[in-house]
C-alpha cells in the first residue's frame, strides 16, 4: 500500500524556487532539525549553524529528492547527519555535552532536589552518549530521540536495517557499560 508523503508536494515546490514553500518547510521541520543537530554536537549555537546549513542544502538540492528513494523526512535526516559529520570531522575537537536546556517556565512538579538529581542523570547520559562512536550515536539519536523506526533511521544513515540493529545493539551495550562504570 502506497502512503502519500505529506511533504512531497512542498519539496517539489521548493525545487521550483517557491520561497513560501521553503518558509513553510522550515517552520515545519526546524524543531526536529535543531533537536537532532543539538543531540549530535551538544552545542546550541553549533546546532543553529547546522540547521542553517541544512536548510540551505534543502533549498539547493530539493530537485534531487526522489520519492522512490526515501521519504522527505528520511532525506532531511540524512542531510542533517551529513552536515553534523562534516562539522565534527572538520573541527577535530571533542565537545563536552552538557545537560539539556530546561524550559524557563516554573514547573509545579518535582522539587529542586529532584531537578538536581535529574540534571545529574541527564548529564551522565549525555556525556556517555557523546563518548560513543559517531555512527552508534547517530543510530541511538535517530531511534530514541528523533523517534524514527529502525527502517527510517537506516535510510537516513544509508545502511541496511540489519546494520542499524547491529549499531543499536553495540551502542546500547556501550552506553549501559559506561553508565554502570560511572564513566558516562
Amino acid at each position: 500500500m502506497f502512503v502519500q508523503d505529506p511533504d512531497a508536494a512542498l519539496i517539489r515546490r521548493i525545487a521550483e524556487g517557491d520561497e513560501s514553500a521553503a518558509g513553510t518547510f522550515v517552520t515545519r521541520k526546524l524543531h526536529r532539525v535543531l533537536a537532532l543537530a543539538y543531540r549530535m554536537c551538544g552545542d546550541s549555537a553549533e546546532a543553529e549553524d547546522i540547521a542553517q546549513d541544512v536548510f540551505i542544502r534543502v533549498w539547493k538540492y530539493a530537485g534531487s529528492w526522489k520519492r522512490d528513494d526515501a521519504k522527505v523526512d528520511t532525506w532531511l535526516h540524512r542531510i542533517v547527519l551529513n552536515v553534523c559529520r562534516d562539522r565534527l570531522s572538520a573541527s577535530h575537537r571533542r565537545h563536552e555535552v552538557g545537560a539539556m536546556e530546561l524550559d524557563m517556565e516554573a514547573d509545579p512538579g518535582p522539587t529542586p532536589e529532584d531537578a538536581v538529581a535529574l540534571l545529574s542523570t541527564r548529564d551522565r547520559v549525555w556525556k556517555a552518549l557523546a563518548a560513543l562512536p559517531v555512527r552508534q550515536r547517530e543510530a541511538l539519536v535517530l531511534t530514541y530521540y528523533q523517534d524514527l523506526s529502525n527502517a527510517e533511521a537506516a535510510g537516513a544513515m544509508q545502511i541496511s536495517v540489519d546494520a542499524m540493529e547491529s549499531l543499536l545493539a553495540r551502542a546500547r551495550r556501550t552506553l549501559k557499560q559506561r553508565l554502570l562504570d560511572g564513566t558516562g
Side-chain angles (χ1 to χ4, degrees), residues 4-176:
Q4 179 68 25
D5 189 331
D7 298 311
L10 202 54
I11 286 295
R12 281 192 292 273
R13 287 177 41 213
I14 293 169
E16 295 166 358
D18 184 339
E19 291 181 23
S20 69
T24 300
F25 189 78
V26 169
T27 300
R28 280 188 194 174
K29 305 298 181 179
L30 180 60
H31 180 73
R32 288 183 65 82
V33 168
L34 283 171
L36 177 54
Y38 177 76
R39 288 178 177 126
M40 289 306 300
C41 70
D43 180 90
S44 295
E46 184 79 4
E48 289 172 7
D49 289 345
I50 289 168
Q52 184 175 6
D53 287 352
V54 165
F55 288 115
I56 288 170
R57 288 184 188 194
V58 166
W59 176 260
K60 263 176 95 172
Y61 301 112
S64 70
W65 173 76
K66 292 176 182 62
R67 177 179 55 201
D68 296 335
D69 290 346
K71 287 177 27 181
V72 171
D73 272 345
T74 303
W75 179 73
L76 178 63
H77 281 89
R78 186 178 304 147
I79 293 170
V80 177
L81 291 176
N82 287 338
V83 172
C84 287
R85 283 183 206 134
D86 290 349
R87 288 188 177 252
L88 288 172
S89 67
S91 68
H92 295 292
R93 60 190 156 140
R94 304 277 291 162
H95 289 285
E96 287 276 329
V97 178
M100 287 180 53
E101 296 173 15
L102 298 177
D103 292 335
M104 298 307 288
E105 296 178 20
D107 183 2
T111 66
E113 293 80 14
D114 293 338
V116 168
L118 179 60
L119 280 175
S120 174
T121 300
R122 280 185 183 167
D123 187 49
R124 287 182 55 233
V125 170
W126 281 110
K127 284 180 180 174
L129 186 64
L132 289 175
V134 173
R135 299 293 279 177
Q136 290 180 24
R137 184 175 3 146
E138 289 173 355
L140 280 176
V141 168
L142 288 172
T143 56
Y144 286 100
Y145 295 104
Q146 295 299 110
D147 214 17
L148 297 183
S149 69
N150 286 1
E152 291 169 327
M157 293 179 67
Q158 297 181 298
I159 59 175
S160 70
V161 174
D162 288 342
M164 170 59 69
E165 290 171 355
S166 176
L167 274 173
L168 282 171
R170 284 191 311 247
R172 287 183 196 118
R173 275 193 309 271
T174 304
L175 193 63
K176 180 180 177 182

